[in-house]
Amino acid sequence: MNVPDWFAELSSALDTKMGMVLDEVTATRAVGRYPVAGNTQPFGLWHGGASCVVAETLASLAAAAEVGPQGSITGVDINATHLRPVRAGWVTGTATALRIGGSLATYDVVLTDDAGEQVCAARITVFLKRPPTG
């Protein structure tokens, strides 16, 4: 697992509820896994809203790694296209930086099922508040 030590303090009730397993976090990439069980819509399929949560969470964690523990981040845009259903197993999300600027970072997020099939394509933009330098 490649996760900065200070990330042990970062957690949310939603991450816990969704069963997030965080595998990697750097400023340019974040990877996490989520069980399908417990994250489905009434018809037994992986919930599209869960895909959006995964995408925003992973992009935000990568952005947090960019600004460090003294900075802060805020999601400002999300776009997600649901590509195929998932009924069981795990969904793995990988957020990859498309561009990290001075105050905005944009990440491409790919969600796949256990067979490696892409289930969602998302793009997230995050506002970066960097700590003062001096």
Side-chain angles (χ1 to χ4, degrees):
M1 183 164 68
N2 179 20
V3 179
D5 292 339
W6 63 273
F7 270 76
E9 311 256 333
L10 294 178
S11 181
S12 78
L14 185 55
D15 294 338
T16 301
K17 186 264 172 236
M18 289 190 65
M20 177 176 76
V21 176
L22 192 58
D23 292 327
E24 177 184 344
V25 178
T26 68
T28 59
R29 181 178 150 98
V31 180
R33 295 175 286 128
Y34 299 76
V36 173
N39 295 308
T40 59
Q41 36 93 314
F43 306 104
L45 302 173
W46 172 259
H47 199 292
S51 290
C52 292
V53 168
V54 169
E56 185 160 352
T57 296
L58 294 175
S60 294
L61 290 173
E66 170 66 20
V67 300
Q70 303 306 314
S72 65
I73 53 93
T74 305
V76 296
D77 186 61
I78 183 169
N79 175 284
T81 301
H82 310 296
L83 303 171
R84 71 177 56 244
V86 183
R87 292 186 182 278
W90 289 73
V91 170
T92 299
T94 303
T96 305
L98 294 172
R99 182 177 188 280
I100 299 174
S103 61
L104 291 176
T106 300
Y107 294 86
D108 177 57
V109 187
V110 173
L111 278 64
T112 58
D113 63 15
D114 288 335
E117 296 286 342
Q118 188 170 0
V119 300
C120 180
R123 188 181 65 229
I124 309 292
T125 299
V126 181
F127 173 73
L128 308 172
K129 184 175 180 187
R130 298 178 183 278
T133 58

